[in-house]
Amino acid sequence: MWRVTLRSEPGAEPVEIELERTDAAHAEAFSARRGNEHLEIEVERTGPGSGWLRVRGRIVPFHAVRRGNVVEVWTPGQTHALEVVDRQARRARAGGETTATDRVTAPMPGTITKVNVSVGDTFAAHAPLIIMESMKMEMTLSAPHAGRIKELRCGVGELVPMGQILVKLAPLEETNAAS
Amino acid sequence: MWRVTLRSEPGAEPVEIELERTDAAHAEAFSARRGNEHLEIEVERTGPGSGWLRVRGRIVPFHAVRRGNVVEVWTPGQTHALEVVDRQARRARAGGETTATDRVTAPMPGTITKVNVSVGDTFAAHAPLIIMESMKMEMTLSAPHAGRIKELRCGVGELVPMGQILVKLAPLEETNAAS
Amino acid sequence: MFNKILIANRGEIAVRIARTLQPMGICAVAVYSDADRAAVHVGSSDEAYPLEGNSAADTYLRGDKIIDIAKRCGADAIHPGYGFLAENPTFAQACKDAGFVFIGPKPEVMRRTGNKVEAKRTLSAAGVPVVPGWSGGSNEPAARFANEAKRIGFPVLIKAAAGGGGKGMRVVEREAELIPSIEAARREAAAAFGDGQVFLEKYVARPRHVEFQIFGDEHGNVVHLFERECSLQRRHQKIIEEAPSPALTPELRQRMGEAALRVARAVGYTNAGTVEFLVDASSEFYFLEVNTRLQVEHPITEMTLQQDLVRTQVLVADGQRLPFSQEELRPRGHAIECRICAEDADRNFMPATGTIERYVPPMGPNVRVDSGVAEGSQVSVYYDSMLAKLICWGQTREEAIAQTIWALDRLVILGLKTNIAYLRSLLTDAAVLRGEMHTQYVAQRSASTIAGASGDSARVGDDVLMAAAVAMKDGAGRSGVAPRSGEKATRDSGPWRAASAWRNT
Amino acid sequence: MFNKILIANRGEIAVRIARTLQPMGICAVAVYSDADRAAVHVGSSDEAYPLEGNSAADTYLRGDKIIDIAKRCGADAIHPGYGFLAENPTFAQACKDAGFVFIGPKPEVMRRTGNKVEAKRTLSAAGVPVVPGWSGGSNEPAARFANEAKRIGFPVLIKAAAGGGGKGMRVVEREAELIPSIEAARREAAAAFGDGQVFLEKYVARPRHVEFQIFGDEHGNVVHLFERECSLQRRHQKIIEEAPSPALTPELRQRMGEAALRVARAVGYTNAGTVEFLVDASSEFYFLEVNTRLQVEHPITEMTLQQDLVRTQVLVADGQRLPFSQEELRPRGHAIECRICAEDADRNFMPATGTIERYVPPMGPNVRVDSGVAEGSQVSVYYDSMLAKLICWGQTREEAIAQTIWALDRLVILGLKTNIAYLRSLLTDAAVLRGEMHTQYVAQRSASTIAGASGDSARVGDDVLMAAAVAMKDGAGRSGVAPRSGEKATRDSGPWRAASAWRNT
């Protein structure tokens, strides 16, 4: 028997699926269990991660690729990224992520075309800090709140990957307290 | 350096090809040697056995699969089956194949639809011995020479693979000598 | 309109029919033999049910199994494709009796036209020119055939009364060959069509095969959709078809189109059909037969008219009026179809079997590939050797030929022998380029070609050797080819593993 | 006729141009940046030469490098595709000076029409209706813009004089936003076109974008090839185009076609071009600009007319007469193009980058995919986010929409975010189905959609979960995916290896 636990989107309930072979003559005829529900399915493979399911006569083509603990699945008209839940990892991962208001990161990979601030500058909320360009689209990265530039981690002309920290910010209160 | 010996068709001269890397920055830029000729080539891979060569600017797409010592290669407009010559095997394989006139084999996979002879029957050259069908095409297998049926290895309705011996024959002389 | 249609076929035509049904919002139901469990036509369908068994006789010819599946899955209609049960009036009747719409002409029309002997009589009476011939009953003594053949004059053609696609057809040059040929033809006809009746026909030397697509609805409208030239044949089976025919003048096209409509009206034709004619060297034409089905080569008509014939079949079967009038049908440009077959052109086009190890169809504007296979497909002995159809369009015949050659040159099939190189050689043949083909042309040309018919006789050049070397180098250093359907290759047994001839020096 | 043509472009358009050249017997030469060494457009060419570098400015915008390659490889002509150097008269002139035929209009025509300010003046004088606006010189003080904007009345549109494709274009609702917007627009225009000049235009509310394809030869013949409706745009870039426009009556089509011809004649147009119009709610139309290039969306015109526009470009560039007259051009049916982009519709269509792990384009009659990517392709930040174009044809608009949805549902792209689901949601949108679109429709609709624009918000059903489970089961027991170009994965590090969540119980 095979078993996997998937989560359809962040925060969703994990779903456990079990596959059990049902037909000695067909290597890939399964009884699939999800909670109390059972479903008889047959699988034909056309390549690694690709093929189709036959579910009560219905044909469901699929393609899937896995990167890390995400499995990206295509079925006709739909593409979903599912999280593969590892029980041990689930237990270990207790600490939450910080909602980062202390930085501005690159929302996409691209080139920095303008830097409006220097270290130590103060700025109002929504002030345009950095301008970058990706695939010919210009984008203004604005301040999430009023504050002061603690650190500048990019320069004009630089190519940055998605998620890179471009500037680190200090809130205005902190600035006042420090000066 | 990589080296392979290929034969373009049975009986042709074996051709040895050597590939030597020429560019530290490009893993698949080679100097290819064939006899005294050298050719600079670059390779881009699009999958296992597939990709294209760049030969002095010319682009040569290719696809190849290997089965045993045959490599089947596609380039635009051409498909060739080349023999991969293994030196040791070449030396070992000294004995020739017998040109088999002592049998009738299935020229293609198919179903036997009629057997015109029994063991011991004599027949004239070109007599229709067996009729078989494959993909809806009927085919008459005739005697390569006059003779006698020594052995019958198929029956009506039987599905036979390509190359299977269907009947073994004895030449008429032998028949006379034996009777 | 129908909600669910069962496609009683396999291969490229089953895939092609599903592609029309799905955008119409109709559920496409596939059926499959054991050998076809992983076939492309199953994966292209919305629902699929097993027929159990492998031979055609046990599966795709079993009308009872198919009607039973149609009942169980709740289909409204059955599309037979071509071949198998497509021209079987008993099956068409059984569909009707079981409450399903059979997508094709009425059983009585199929009977009227399906027996070629009867059809020739009817249509000759209706003023359609026919080839001189003779037909006895089902169990006519062979001796009678010999007398009639002498009367008609050798060479004569033996044809199956219920046949099509060249099955059971034989040319007899001399009297001595007649009796064994009739026996063989009867046997083939009985096996293929369940009816061993054969008949004789005057053998027209070097004729062209030109056919007209016809369509009728249940409201009395009949149109023709112009012609297809199908003279390039091997073993009496078409391999390259084109539209329009390079041999037809506008005047001859007009006359033949009218004759086709006369045929359609004489038999009360509904749905899609084809009227086949022979055209001799002096441009006289003779009715040959009516095919009461969608033809293999229907896409060339689709491309020149920008009409979907399967869609029209469905609409007409639903009782709707034809969506076009004769005047609205204006062919544009030139289309060519090549039948890509698993066969060895150097060995008399003998069918080849095996696994398709690599399959890359060409893509581009004006290139259409109707395919029944994919990488990993098993080509078995059970069914036809046609893998795919390549259909190309151009503004002119020259452009269409150039586009076809371009596409053939970029069609990759590895793992078994195909006729790709042979098809290419035909499209560069001087007579074919001039449009001067006839139905024996392929056979005569093969006989006169010295170094093999395959066209692959081109010397192995440096490009090929380098590509082989490079591919093998990759294979030796890499993880093996992608596992294919049905093939449970382990990591160490892939085709690229045993590259022992390479030495790392 | 030309023997060898250099294609100064990349991606789908470079592939598409090569596909026309090759069957014409013309050698197709590709150029490529370092990032594109393994790109599809290189593998589809007959010859390919490196441009060295990665950014557009270092590679595909470097006319000097391209002309140098053309000299070295012995090309006769240069086809610029669209974007990059396509509408750059300096490059066109440089080609001519170096002895190469530039496949496009003459440099002087490009100059005449390329500056939108100048073009509006000329054509207004020629009696073509234009949108009211104002244009200063290159270094006009920003304050002057403010006065003129007030005169025209807000909202106003800022546009780049040398621009196209929405780059440098901004809508300004209030006076306060005007100055920063003009600065940003000038910056974008300078970066994209090497010319920072911008101008103001009356902002027409909810207009349709309807453009006419034009073609001229060097013998004074000019025709139009009917219209394309391109109103569905996001960030001022077209995402779905169709032909014919559902908004044009035969009478309006006639008048706009005549206006397009007036434009073509006024500027002495040769080769392929497009005259863009705005059509307002009361069916008044205004000249917008002339695009002196092949458009991205040219295939919908090709499908309705069964004409190859690239082929026609080559013939005209060779000095031949147009192969068709206005009277011979009769559109048939309806065609729709969807631009398949690597972007996240839920995050304001932000471009996505990465590796295409799986790519399966749909195939079928009436489905054309012009693709610049394949499995294993790297989508980088350097170039446009468009991966492919899906073009579908149907007898009617409804059939074309159904065919497009069918094809979108069968287009597989894994590895990065795409707009496929978003395109699908647009094609089932009630207003779009009624044909009631305007250029702001996509933006307004996104703003009013609550749960994300992507269309992928459908709940994850059992089919998806089962497919994921089955795929992972396979992955855990199998050898890993096929290695992809550039990705030197070893056997044990394949994406399917670490299926640790599975336990064999």
Side-chain angles (χ1 to χ4, degrees), chain B residues 51-92:
Chain B
W52 65 78
L53 310 179
R54 206 168 142 260
V55 189
R56 298 196 192 98
R58 270 192 321 115
I59 300 292
V60 182
F62 67 87
H63 292 273
V65 293
R66 182 171 179 184
R67 279 166 309 175
N69 68 335
V70 172
V71 58
E72 205 181 341
V73 190
W74 175 93
T75 57
Q78 291 184 48
T79 302
H80 291 281
L82 308 180
E83 186 194 348
V84 183
V85 182
D86 184 322
R87 279 141 197 266
Q88 288 172 306
R90 219 191 323 173
R91 240 173 286 124

Side-chain angles (χ1 to χ4, degrees), chain B residues 2-3 34 45 50 66 135, chain C residues 358 462 495 499 502-503:
Chain B
W2 282 92
R3 191 180 296 161
R34 178 195 170 176
R45 310 270 179 193
S50 299
R66 182 171 179 184
M135 292 168 168
Chain C
R358 199 61 56 92
D462 276 348
W502 278 105
R503 295 178 313 155

Side-chain angles (χ1 to χ4, degrees), chain A residues 1-4 34 43 45 48-50 58 64 66-67 72 74 76-77 79-80 86 107 109 114 135 137-138, chain D residues 188 235 351 353 358 380-381 383 385 409 415 456 458 462-463 470 472-474 495-496 498-500 502-503 505:
Chain A
M1 189 202 284
W2 282 92
R3 190 180 296 162
V4 69
R34 178 196 171 175
V43 186
R45 311 268 179 194
S50 299
R58 270 192 320 117
R66 183 170 178 185
R67 279 166 310 176
E72 205 182 339
W74 174 93
T79 302
H80 292 281
D86 184 322
K114 199 171 175 196
M135 291 167 168
M137 186 179 77
E138 192 183 281
Chain D
E188 264 185 61
R235 296 195 333 241
T353 60
R358 199 61 57 91
S380 72
V381 297
Y383 318 111
S385 63
D409 281 352
D456 253 337
D462 276 349
D463 286 354
V470 159
M472 292 194 60
K473 179 174 187 311
D474 181 43
W496 284 105
S500 62
W502 279 105
R503 295 179 312 156
T505 56

Side-chain angles (χ1 to χ4, degrees), chain B residues 1-4 32 34 43 45 48-50 58 64 66-67 72 74 76-77 79-80 86 107 109 131 135 137-138, chain C residues 235 351 353 358 380-381 383 385 409 411 415 456 458 462-463 470 472-474 495-496 498-500 502-503 505:
Chain B
M1 189 202 282
W2 282 92
R3 191 180 296 161
V4 70
R34 178 195 170 176
V43 185
R45 310 270 179 193
S50 299
R58 270 192 321 115
R66 182 171 179 184
R67 279 166 309 175
E72 205 181 341
W74 175 93
T79 302
H80 291 281
D86 184 322
I131 296 171
M135 292 168 168
M137 185 178 77
E138 192 182 282
Chain C
R235 296 196 331 241
T353 60
R358 199 61 56 92
S380 72
V381 296
Y383 319 111
S385 63
D409 281 353
L411 168 58
D456 254 337
D462 276 348
D463 287 353
V470 159
M472 291 193 59
K473 179 175 187 309
D474 182 43
W496 284 104
S500 61
W502 278 105
R503 295 178 313 155
T505 56

Side-chain angles (χ1 to χ4, degrees), chain C residues 156-303:
Chain C
V156 295
L157 207 55
I158 307 173
K159 296 170 78 173
K167 283 155 205 161
M169 201 194 294
R170 265 144 213 272
V171 184
V172 181
E173 306 272 349
R174 277 175 301 274
E175 197 183 339
E177 298 162 17
L178 188 71
I179 305 301
S181 295
I182 283 172
E183 276 175 14
R186 279 180 165 165
R187 210 163 39 231
E188 264 183 61
F193 314 110
D195 177 356
Q197 194 187 349
V198 298
F199 66 100
L200 296 181
E201 216 169 65
K202 171 72 188 155
Y203 176 76
V204 179
R206 305 159 66 95
R208 287 175 180 268
H209 175 120
V210 178
E211 60 186 30
F212 273 69
Q213 176 72 48
I214 55 169
F215 236 114
D217 65 22
E218 290 169 12
H219 308 276
N221 303 303
V222 179
V223 299
H224 73 80
L225 287 84
F226 297 87
E227 83 278 10
R228 296 183 286 256
E229 158 98 42
C230 311
S231 299
L232 290 173
Q233 307 184 350
R234 60 107 184 74
R235 296 196 331 241
H236 300 291
Q237 288 187 329
K238 303 161 188 167
I239 46 175
I240 297 182
E241 302 98 339
E242 62 184 298
S245 165
L248 264 51
T249 61
E251 185 269 335
L252 180 55
R253 178 170 297 119
Q254 172 86 16
R255 282 201 294 134
M256 289 179 74
E258 280 162 13
L261 290 178
R262 214 172 306 140
V263 171
R265 290 201 193 95
V267 298
Y269 206 87
T270 54
N271 218 296
T274 295
V275 182
E276 294 188 340
F277 296 103
L278 288 184
V279 180
D280 72 15
S282 54
S283 292
E284 291 301 311
F285 65 92
Y286 307 96
F287 167 79
L288 200 60
E289 62 186 68
V290 179
N291 296 141
T292 57
R293 59 162 193 263
L294 189 70
Q295 298 281 86
V296 174
E297 59 272 23
H298 75 277
I300 55 177
T301 299
E302 294 189 322
M303 282 188 110

Side-chain angles (χ1 to χ4, degrees), chain D residues 88-359:
Chain D
N88 183 327
T90 312
F91 177 67
Q93 186 63 52
C95 288
K96 204 174 161 187
D97 294 346
F100 300 109
V101 174
F102 175 85
I103 300 181
K106 294 185 177 55
E108 53 271 27
V109 175
M110 294 168 75
R111 279 200 192 88
R112 221 169 287 155
T113 57
N115 186 305
K116 294 180 191 180
V117 178
E118 207 184 301
K120 273 182 69 174
R121 279 195 202 109
T122 314
L123 295 173
S124 183
V128 178
V130 300
V131 182
W134 175 82
S135 57
S138 309
N139 293 307
E140 206 72 38
R144 185 69 202 279
F145 276 92
N147 288 335
E148 292 295 337
K150 268 186 281 185
R151 185 183 55 79
I152 296 166
F154 284 96
V156 296
L157 206 56
I158 307 173
K159 297 171 76 174
K167 282 156 206 161
M169 202 195 292
R170 265 145 214 270
V171 184
V172 182
E173 305 272 349
R174 276 173 301 274
E175 198 183 337
E177 297 162 18
L178 189 69
I179 306 300
S181 296
I182 282 173
E183 278 175 11
R186 279 180 166 165
R187 213 166 33 235
E188 264 185 61
F193 313 111
D195 178 355
Q197 193 187 350
V198 299
F199 65 100
L200 296 181
E201 216 170 65
K202 172 72 190 158
Y203 175 77
V204 179
R206 305 160 67 96
R208 287 173 180 270
H209 174 120
V210 178
E211 61 185 29
F212 273 69
Q213 175 72 48
I214 55 169
F215 237 113
D217 66 21
E218 291 169 11
H219 307 275
N221 303 303
V222 180
V223 299
H224 73 80
L225 288 83
F226 297 88
E227 83 278 10
R228 296 182 286 258
E229 158 99 42
C230 311
S231 299
L232 289 173
Q233 307 185 351
R234 58 106 183 76
R235 296 195 333 241
H236 300 292
Q237 288 188 329
K238 302 160 188 167
I239 46 176
I240 298 182
E241 302 99 339
E242 62 184 299
S245 164
L248 264 50
T249 59
E251 185 270 333
L252 181 55
R253 178 170 297 119
Q254 172 87 15
R255 283 201 294 133
M256 290 179 72
E258 281 162 11
L261 290 178
R262 214 173 305 140
V263 171
R265 289 201 193 96
V267 299
Y269 206 89
T270 53
N271 217 295
T274 295
V275 182
E276 295 189 338
F277 296 103
L278 289 185
V279 181
D280 71 14
S282 55
S283 292
E284 291 301 311
F285 65 93
Y286 306 96
F287 167 79
L288 200 61
E289 62 186 69
V290 179
N291 296 142
T292 57
R293 59 163 193 263
L294 190 70
Q295 298 280 89
V296 174
E297 58 272 23
H298 75 276
I300 56 176
T301 299
E302 294 189 324
M303 282 187 111
T304 51
L305 287 171
Q306 288 189 301
Q307 289 290 343
D308 182 335
L309 298 195
V310 173
R311 184 182 192 98
T312 309
Q313 283 192 297
V314 172
L315 298 181
V316 165
D318 187 44
Q320 300 184 31
R321 284 169 186 279
L322 280 175
F324 37 68
S325 66
Q326 189 66 60
E327 292 65 41
E328 285 165 344
L329 294 169
R330 299 275 172 92
R332 208 146 70 173
H334 201 99
I336 295 176
E337 173 180 279
C338 287
R339 300 194 188 187
I340 312 298
C341 298
E343 62 186 23
D344 189 343
D346 286 334
R347 294 176 68 211
N348 194 31
F349 303 104
M350 200 169 289
T353 60
T355 301
I356 296 184
E357 301 277 352
R358 199 61 57 91
Y359 181 72

